[in-house]
Amino acid sequence: MNRMIEKFQNQEFSVGTFTQLLSPLAVECLGQTGLDYVLIDTEHTAAGMEYLTAAITAADSAGIVPLVRINGIQRDKVLQPLDYGAKGLVVPAVETVEEVRQLVSYAKFPPVGNRGFCPTRDGKFGYDEVSQQGVATYFDHANKDTLLIPQCETKGCLEHIEEIAALEGVDGIFVGPFDLSVALGHPMDFQCEEMKAAFQRILSACQKNNKIAFIFCPDAATAKQRKAEGFHSATVGMDAPTLIEPYRTVMRELEV
């Protein structure tokens, strides 16, 4: 079972981070940290398909769950990371219920959706134990084991969050607090009443429908706060700034 799903079912909090360094080696290093998952970002990077395949493979070898943030609501953007072995997709800039229904169609096999089928890496090219039990068993396992996670960071998504969270095939909601605060007219003001109400609305929609509530957090203190509020998972920071800060500290200490 996907460890993210297992932790959710066991009511355990999960923690991950974004990788933006375009380095499979960086992904392997993150696998040595105790993090549950790495979120491979293709929205704000120049990541190509060859890198994506290598990063997912590196995550698998390092024992960390590979999730991918895709950069569009198109069939190939959804299909290819899943075929490569991604255990979940985060989809940014969602606006409407119809967009999410289309995502479900692309990401889930029948009878839930209409994902295209080919023996690929996610099923060991048809030779893993599940695939050997037949297509119906593989379809069912893949639908349950791979996460589809729309990102709530627009006013449109927030306005329809109850309906989106209730859709079959949607496994969770990822809160993008920065863009959501901009969309609601309160850039980076996460303590204003409208933002607090938005967070609670998203969280309540997830709880009502037994879906995983993810949220981006800039640091551990914020992640602790979100955990106390009831969120199920925190994606804490990004690897690029984490690389920069220690060396800035070194240079300050050296007074160079």
Side-chain angles (χ1 to χ4, degrees), residues 174-247:
F174 189 102
V175 182
F178 288 13
D179 282 333
L180 184 59
S181 71
V182 173
L184 295 182
H186 306 284
M188 314 314 158
D189 182 3
F190 308 121
Q191 299 305 315
C192 73
E193 291 305 313
E194 189 172 3
M195 283 299 294
K196 288 181 180 179
F199 290 156
Q200 185 57 52
R201 182 176 177 181
I202 298 164
L203 180 57
S204 295
C206 288
Q207 291 173 334
K208 180 180 179 180
N209 293 283
N210 196 35
K211 305 296 175 71
I212 308 173
F214 295 80
I215 189 166
F216 176 77
C217 299
D219 50 44
T222 305
K224 286 183 178 180
Q225 176 187 341
R226 300 306 181 204
K227 179 182 179 183
E229 291 169 355
F231 282 89
H232 307 114
S233 182
T235 305
V236 183
M238 304 175 182
D239 58 1
T242 303
L243 177 66
I244 294 168
E245 283 301 324
Y247 285 101

Side-chain angles (χ1 to χ4, degrees), residues 99-226:
E99 286 179 337
V100 180
R101 287 198 178 103
Q102 188 65 72
L103 285 166
V104 171
S105 175
Y106 293 151
K108 300 293 184 177
F109 287 115
V112 181
N114 193 35
R115 176 181 164 185
F117 171 68
C118 179
T120 48
R121 184 179 179 276
D122 69 312
K124 301 294 188 292
F125 305 97
Y127 287 92
D128 70 356
E129 184 178 343
V130 173
S131 298
Q132 289 291 300
Q133 296 177 51
V135 171
T137 301
Y138 165 70
F139 281 5
D140 182 64
H141 174 78
N143 284 348
K144 293 175 180 177
D145 202 52
T146 53
L147 301 170
L148 177 62
I149 311 161
Q151 188 165 338
C152 187
E153 58 181 352
T154 68
K155 194 171 182 179
C157 186
L158 180 63
E159 288 174 348
H160 298 97
I161 193 62
E162 290 80 11
E163 189 174 355
I164 289 171
L167 288 174
E168 183 182 10
V170 170
D171 301 293
I173 301 293
F174 189 102
V175 182
F178 288 13
D179 282 333
L180 184 59
S181 71
V182 173
L184 295 182
H186 306 284
M188 314 314 158
D189 182 3
F190 308 121
Q191 299 305 315
C192 73
E193 291 305 313
E194 189 172 3
M195 283 299 294
K196 288 181 180 179
F199 290 156
Q200 185 57 52
R201 182 176 177 181
I202 298 164
L203 180 57
S204 295
C206 288
Q207 291 173 334
K208 180 180 179 180
N209 293 283
N210 196 35
K211 305 296 175 71
I212 308 173
F214 295 80
I215 189 166
F216 176 77
C217 299
D219 50 44
T222 305
K224 286 183 178 180
Q225 176 187 341
R226 300 306 181 204

Side-chain angles (χ1 to χ4, degrees), residues 51-69:
Y51 160 72
L52 193 57
T53 307
I56 292 170
T57 303
D60 285 341
S61 69
I64 188 169
V65 176
L67 307 182
V68 175
R69 180 161 71 176

Side-chain angles (χ1 to χ4, degrees), residues 23-33 38 54-55 57-59 61-64:
S23 167
L25 179 59
V27 173
E28 284 191 286
C29 290
L30 290 171
Q32 308 308 311
T33 62
V38 57
T57 303
S61 69
I64 188 169

